[in-house]
């Protein structure tokens, strides 16, 4: 498995992949290695073309930034094994939608799981007539689509409230605030 983005979500996905017996590689913006409770190779994006041919499963867990927009296009998809599977739980714009549709339609890519969209309705009235993409992914038999609900569970709201409380308490004490936004990085 190749995980793009090794933040909190990417680490959980990597752990799950390792638990399923997969060798896990990851790409992150910062080249630093870190000690996790499972073996993982961490690389920078510059070597992505060398890693894609090894990716039986490519999991995208990146934020949307100018640096990640269009990161995976026709060239990158063509480097993946023919039986490769792409899972996007980050943001739609990271993967070129036309290139992904064509790779899936032609069988150059075996399957995809998409928990993110390319088009989001601007308001409640638009929900009924805003397609998720400019291409009919829903017509392909090798695609599973979900409306950005992959991480949702019964515990999600409780965990969200705990994280918000920790953030507010840290700010009230004048301490370091968890999950600070790096304005230069864009997330």
């Amino acid at each position: 498995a190749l995980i793009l983005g090794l933040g909190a979500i990417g680490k959980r996905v990597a752990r799950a992949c390792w638990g399923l017996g997969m060798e896990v590689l990851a790409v992150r913006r910062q080249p630093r290695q870190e000690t996790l409770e499972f073996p993982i190779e961490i690389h920078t994006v510059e070597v992505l073309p060398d890693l894609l041919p090894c990716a039986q499963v490519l999991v995208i867990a990146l934020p949307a930034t100018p640096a990640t927009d269009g990161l995976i296009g026709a060239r990158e998809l063509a480097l993946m094994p023919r039986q490769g599977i792409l899972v996007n739980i980050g943001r739609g714009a990271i993967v070129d939608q036309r290139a992904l549709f064509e790779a899936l339609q032609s069988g150059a890519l075996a399957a995809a799981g998409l928990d993110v969209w390319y088009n989001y309705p601007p308001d409640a009235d638009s929900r009924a007539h805003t397609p998720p993409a400019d291409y009919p992914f829903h017509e392909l038999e090798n695609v599973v689509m979900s409306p950005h609900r992959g991480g949702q569970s019964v515990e999600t709201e409780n965990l969200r409230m705990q994280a918000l409380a920790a953030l507010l308490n840290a700010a009230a004490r004048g301490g370091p605030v968890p999950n600070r936004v790096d304005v230069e990085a864009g997330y």
Side-chain angles (χ1 to χ4, degrees):
L2 175 58
I3 315 295
L4 297 187
L6 201 57
I9 294 169
K11 286 177 188 172
R12 291 202 59 167
V13 170
R15 183 181 306 115
C17 290
W18 174 76
L20 292 170
M22 302 172 95
E23 176 185 354
V24 182
L25 308 172
V27 170
R28 70 178 329 161
R29 186 173 48 93
Q30 299 293 331
R32 73 184 187 281
Q33 292 290 325
E34 64 181 276
T35 304
L36 299 173
E37 66 274 9
F38 56 92
I40 185 169
E41 289 183 29
I42 301 173
H43 302 272
T44 60
V45 73
E46 289 78 25
V47 297
L48 183 59
D50 299 326
L51 299 174
L52 286 168
C54 305
Q56 297 296 316
V57 178
L58 174 63
V59 180
I60 300 165
L62 292 169
T65 70
T68 63
D69 188 31
L71 181 65
I72 304 296
R75 178 178 170 264
E76 291 75 21
L77 293 172
L79 291 172
M80 290 184 65
R82 190 166 184 83
Q83 68 277 17
I85 298 170
L86 181 143
V87 177
N88 192 351
I89 56 174
R91 293 291 180 253
I94 294 167
V95 182
D96 178 270
Q97 63 177 308
R98 178 179 178 178
L100 179 59
F101 184 83
E102 290 175 355
L104 290 163
Q105 188 178 45
S106 71
L109 200 59
L114 305 176
D115 189 45
V116 294
W117 302 136
Y118 292 95
N119 303 322
Y120 287 90
D123 53 50
D125 293 336
S126 302
R127 285 189 188 136
H129 57 276
T130 300
D134 298 333
Y135 295 87
F137 286 97
H138 62 282
E139 293 178 2
L140 300 176
E141 292 189 21
N142 57 348
V143 176
V144 174
M145 301 173 75
S146 60
H148 215 70
R149 301 273 191 253
Q152 201 164 22
S153 68
V154 175
E155 296 86 13
T156 301
E157 280 306 310
N158 188 33
L159 293 171
R160 186 174 292 141
M161 292 302 132
Q162 289 175 19
L164 180 58
L167 184 142
L168 292 173
N169 285 329
R173 284 190 219 99
V177 177
N179 303 314
R180 289 185 66 97
V181 172
D182 180 339
V183 176
E184 284 195 27
Y187 61 95

